[in-house]
Amino acid sequence: MVHGHNSGRRSSGAGRPPRIGIMGGTFDPVHHGHLVAASEVAHLFELDEVVFVPTGQPWQKDPDKVTPPEDRYLMTVIATAENPQFRVDRIEIDRDGPTYTIDTLRELRSSYGPSVELFFITGADALGAILGWHNADELFELAHFVGCNRPGHRLSDTGLPEGKVSLVEVPALAISSTECRERVRKGEPIWYLVPDGIVRYINKTGLYRDS
Ligand code: ATP
Ligand code: MG
């Protein structure tokens, strides 16, 4: 049993079902925009835990241009290790083939059991894309979706499936992984855009320097 460590351990204090946030992403690298969004949604929705799920091979992204999963996984662990509410799941890293959010939600749903409430956390850009997926309806059955504002990406609440998606305001951070990678490549600093441990990990490994 891969995810049996979850079952039954977490109590939610208030006698209600546990509420689990799921933050999917490439995390190439993880940055403060991700962490602030997760932290704010955890607060707003009284989540008991947020699970970060680094993608294996994202089907939307060019395999040659994405950093090896193990590096992205380790960076996500480094960035979240100090927060007792955050953990990282290898579920997508360890799955062969391309990554699909629907498989991940099904797996998390079955490992956590039917009683937990799942909240899938995304930025406005990612949520906009998900709304166009052909299996979007099934996704919304598996979890409640939470769309966060993100500088440069607008999402209106018209056309959202009734009661399945919430749009929330999180402190706006105009940070993207793409820009972090570019900055490293150009020799520009990424201090304070990402956690200190991520700057050090990137320096140590030489990631992004000449790609
Ligand atoms: P890339 O530029 O490589 O696409 P990214 O910064 O968009 O990287 P992802 O790993 O693609 O990061 O994003 C994971 C999730 O985090 C997505 O749902 C995305 O919308 C959300 N997200 C990323 N950056 C922010 C931000 N600054 N504010 C709010 N949400 C964000
Ligand atoms: Mg992105």
Side-chain angles (χ1 to χ4, degrees):
M1 182 178 211
V2 186
H3 298 285
H5 54 283
N6 300 321
S7 30
R9 195 178 81 202
R10 275 159 256 278
S11 72
S12 46
R16 53 159 175 75
R19 298 171 155 235
I20 310 294
I22 300 160
M23 179 94 196
T26 316
F27 303 130
D28 191 14
V30 61
H31 55 67
H32 281 131
H34 301 128
L35 296 165
V36 162
S39 164
E40 190 67 9
V41 173
H43 169 70
L44 293 171
F45 287 83
E46 298 180 19
L47 303 183
D48 299 294
E49 163 177 272
V50 177
V51 184
F52 286 70
V53 184
T55 55
Q57 179 50 59
W59 58 270
Q60 314 94 320
K61 294 187 181 181
D62 182 344
D64 298 331
K65 295 199 177 120
V66 177
T67 301
E70 207 61 36
D71 284 312
R72 295 184 290 103
Y73 168 75
L74 284 175
M75 287 191 282
T76 312
V77 169
I78 290 165
T80 56
E82 290 173 19
N83 187 330
Q85 272 195 317
F86 289 174
R87 73 175 185 91
V88 186
D89 203 303
R90 297 183 57 91
I91 183 171
E92 293 196 1
I93 298 284
D94 292 339
R95 188 192 297 139
D96 286 333
T99 278
Y100 296 101
T101 301
I102 189 106
D103 299 328
T104 300
L105 284 181
R106 282 189 192 125
E107 251 184 274
L108 288 173
R109 166 58 71 198
S110 83
S111 70
Y112 276 106
S115 71
V116 300
E117 292 182 56
L118 298 181
F119 295 78
F120 194 84
I121 306 165
T122 72
D125 57 318
L127 182 59
I130 288 168
L131 291 169
W133 293 354
H134 68 274
N135 53 9
D137 288 346
E138 192 189 345
L139 281 176
F140 297 135
E141 293 305 317
L142 287 161
H144 188 80
F145 277 63
V146 183
C148 303
N149 55 300
R150 178 174 185 184
H153 302 275
R154 223 163 260 294
L155 200 65
S156 84
D157 50 10
T158 54
L160 294 180
E162 189 78 38
K164 310 282 188 191
V165 180
S166 305
L167 298 185
V168 300
E169 283 290 319
V170 302
L173 296 183
I175 306 173
S176 73
S177 299
T178 300
E179 197 204 333
C180 292
R181 295 192 300 272
E182 274 289 290
R183 292 184 68 90
V184 173
R185 196 181 54 75
K186 292 189 285 192
E188 294 168 357
I190 55 168
W191 289 108
Y192 315 116
L193 299 174
V194 301
D196 294 356
I198 302 307
V199 183
R200 296 200 189 94
Y201 186 89
I202 289 169
N203 287 341
K204 170 180 152 177
T205 54
L207 278 177
Y208 313 128
R209 217 173 283 155
D210 45 26
S211 53

